[in-house]
Amino acid sequence: MMKANITVLPGDGIGPEIMSAALQVMRQVGEKFGLSFDVNEQLMGGCSYDAYGTPLTDETLQACYEADAVLLGAVGGYKWEKLEHHLKPEAALLKLRKSLGLYANIRPAKVYNSVLDDSSLKKEVLSGTDFVVLRELTGGIYFGQPRGHDREKGWNTMVYARSEIERIARKAFEIARLRKKRVTSVDKANVLEVSQFWRDVVAEVHGDYPDIELTNLYVDNTAMQIVREPRQFDLILTSNLFGDILSDIAGMITGSLGMLPSASVGEKYALYEPVHGSAPDIAGQNIANPIAAIRSVAMMFSLSFGLSKADDLIEKAVERTLAQGRRTADIFSKGLTLVNTQQMTESILENVETIFQSEYAEKLTL
Ligand code: IPM
Ligand code: MN
């Protein structure tokens, strides 16, 4: 059996509960595909601030450098909102992304038929939606210099180096190649020079990928198009700030933020985390939706360990569980079965077993 080192950062709020769910699925599925795990658990976020006075210690960062993959629950909460900028849990997340060089953030927005009714959009508009937001994660206005504020003004800088645009554009075309081969690059080139430059560089890189269709859209128009006709998109490529905003829109239309996973990858490291936040209001009650965290583990199987079969198995088990009517409170509606975090997890684990026995076990031994 192969062994992988995973650094686990449960974080704050519901982080620890959903992480415990995700780890159960990780171990059970890993075993089926010959992968076992050494888990190194570390503090990060508000809990780290409470224990050590900093949201990200060198020890935690070191543990991430040493891991084959990092799993993150969620960080933040009201409790730490008033801290100075660099002590906030969010600052730790940004530092972690930058230190690990996680320049590509992959956020799939796929709609499950069984939760079509949970969306704020009409079924007819939504059904069949399946796209990915690929967000540049270590550049742009999030990190640009100069930045700051004094009593009279505040400022930030949206800046992109050619090399930063080139590598995220390549990533976009490569992911699109495995999908429907359509990239929509999103910018604000009618107003911002940095966006015009982005558009030019993306077009150059596109020269190496003639089999992929490239379209450019302005970010305001894209926001509108996502709610108007989401099916038109396959892969949305965009910068850090625009991707932050668009991925929340994309997340909402699919019905529940509680179900969306994400992967942040670089040349060397990879980190997987739910798109949703730490939901401090429901923390510790065993009612949070573990699906985003579980599907983040699924992404880890295929992107970090090349086990796309394990990824599929988890996705199918989640889908079947939803089809069986099991729902945590955030996606519950009348006539369905209300379950808590642990029950949802057990149900997914049972489906993992049944689906594996009927669809995978035989083929593996052949
Ligand atoms: C996200 C979050 C973060 C971001 C915050 C918590 C720093 O909103 O991952 O989308 O803005 O990138
Ligand atoms: Mn965000």
Side-chain angles (χ1 to χ4, degrees):
M1 187 144 330
M2 297 260 293
K3 206 163 195 110
N5 293 312
I6 308 293
T7 289
V8 169
L9 312 170
D12 306 317
I14 57 170
E17 309 158 49
I18 55 158
M19 186 57 79
S20 131
L23 294 181
Q24 295 171 47
V25 175
M26 177 182 90
R27 290 195 189 286
Q28 181 166 334
V29 171
E31 197 176 300
K32 301 195 166 357
F33 294 90
L35 191 60
S36 70
F37 298 95
D38 258 347
V39 167
N40 179 354
E41 195 175 311
Q42 298 285 340
L43 296 183
M44 180 194 157
C47 58
S48 170
Y49 174 80
D50 289 347
Y52 305 113
T54 167
L56 181 64
T57 62
D58 291 342
E59 189 190 338
T60 294
L61 195 52
Q62 192 54 39
C64 294
Y65 285 132
E66 284 160 13
D68 297 311
V70 179
L71 287 177
L72 175 65
V75 296
Y78 324 118
K79 203 180 153 191
W80 304 285
E81 261 167 25
K82 296 238 151 58
L83 289 174
E84 257 178 82
H85 199 71
H86 74 284
L87 294 174
K88 286 190 178 147
E90 289 81 359
L93 187 56
L94 296 180
K95 184 175 171 196
L96 189 62
R97 289 172 180 170
K98 192 73 176 174
S99 307
L100 299 178
L102 308 174
Y103 69 86
N105 182 228
I106 307 167
R107 295 186 176 180
K110 185 175 149 198
V111 174
Y112 289 100
N113 283 333
S114 41
V115 295
L116 268 181
D117 289 322
D118 297 338
S119 173
S120 49
L121 293 189
K122 291 195 207 84
K123 261 195 203 171
E124 310 84 82
V125 174
L126 195 61
S127 93
T129 293
D130 179 2
F131 66 96
V132 169
V133 177
L134 179 67
R135 165 188 176 193
E136 199 290 329
L137 202 59
T138 52
I141 200 167
Y142 269 59
F143 294 94
Q145 294 290 347
R147 62 190 298 162
H149 73 90
D150 56 26
R151 285 187 58 83
E152 302 307 324
K153 56 183 191 308
W155 60 94
N156 286 90
T157 307
M158 195 186 276
V159 53
Y160 268 110
R162 166 177 290 276
S163 59
E164 291 177 306
I165 303 170
E166 281 173 355
R167 64 182 180 183
I168 194 73
R170 287 196 187 287
K171 189 62 130 200
F173 293 124
E174 259 142 40
I175 297 176
R177 207 165 245 174
L178 305 171
R179 302 176 48 91
K180 286 177 240 137
K181 298 192 166 48
R182 291 205 322 267
V183 170
T184 308
S185 176
V186 173
D187 59 41
K188 189 70 186 173
N190 48 347
V191 178
L192 305 175
E193 285 81 356
V194 58
S195 280
Q196 186 56 56
F197 181 62
W198 171 283
R199 204 176 263 220
D200 294 345
V201 176
V202 171
E204 278 174 39
V205 175
H206 182 227
D208 293 342
Y209 300 86
D211 54 319
I212 311 290
E213 180 191 312
L214 171 65
T215 313
N216 297 290
L217 278 190
Y218 298 135
V219 62
D220 49 349
N221 186 17
T222 308
M224 181 187 83
Q225 296 296 340
I226 290 176
V227 295
R228 193 184 71 88
E229 205 204 322
R231 268 188 302 259
Q232 70 185 284
F233 296 108
D234 180 30
L235 184 138
I236 292 179
L237 159 66
T238 193
S239 59
N240 207 341
L241 180 62
F242 298 160
D244 180 44
I245 300 164
L246 295 181
S247 61
D248 262 33
I249 303 180
M252 187 58 220
I253 61 162
T254 64
S256 170
L257 219 46
M259 308 214 308
L260 294 177
S262 83
S264 302
V265 303
E267 302 302 341
K268 226 176 140 192
Y269 303 103
L271 177 146
Y272 302 86
E273 64 175 314
V275 168
H276 62 68
S278 61
D281 50 322
I282 58 162
Q285 298 176 37
N286 188 33
I287 58 173
N289 190 341
I291 291 181
I294 289 170
R295 294 181 65 212
S296 296
V297 161
M299 289 186 87
M300 177 190 80
F301 273 112
S302 56
L303 296 178
S304 283
F305 303 112
L307 290 171
S308 57
K309 287 219 169 74
D311 182 349
D312 287 350
L313 174 59
I314 296 173
E315 285 290 327
K316 282 186 183 154
V318 167
E319 228 166 321
R320 187 172 295 184
T321 304
L322 291 169
Q324 288 163 341
R326 312 228 159 89
R327 298 284 191 281
T328 41
D330 57 316
I331 48 176
F332 176 74
S333 51
K334 260 218 203 100
L336 300 169
T337 315
L338 182 65
V339 296
N340 62 32
T341 310
Q342 188 53 29
Q343 289 164 334
M344 178 63 103
T345 308
E346 276 157 21
S347 190
I348 291 170
L349 286 170
E350 272 168 35
N351 283 321
V352 159
E353 280 308 322
T354 351
I355 298 171
F356 182 77
Q357 295 312 333
S358 68
E359 294 180 27
Y360 293 72
E362 238 172 71
K363 291 183 193 119
L364 283 181
T365 52
L366 276 180

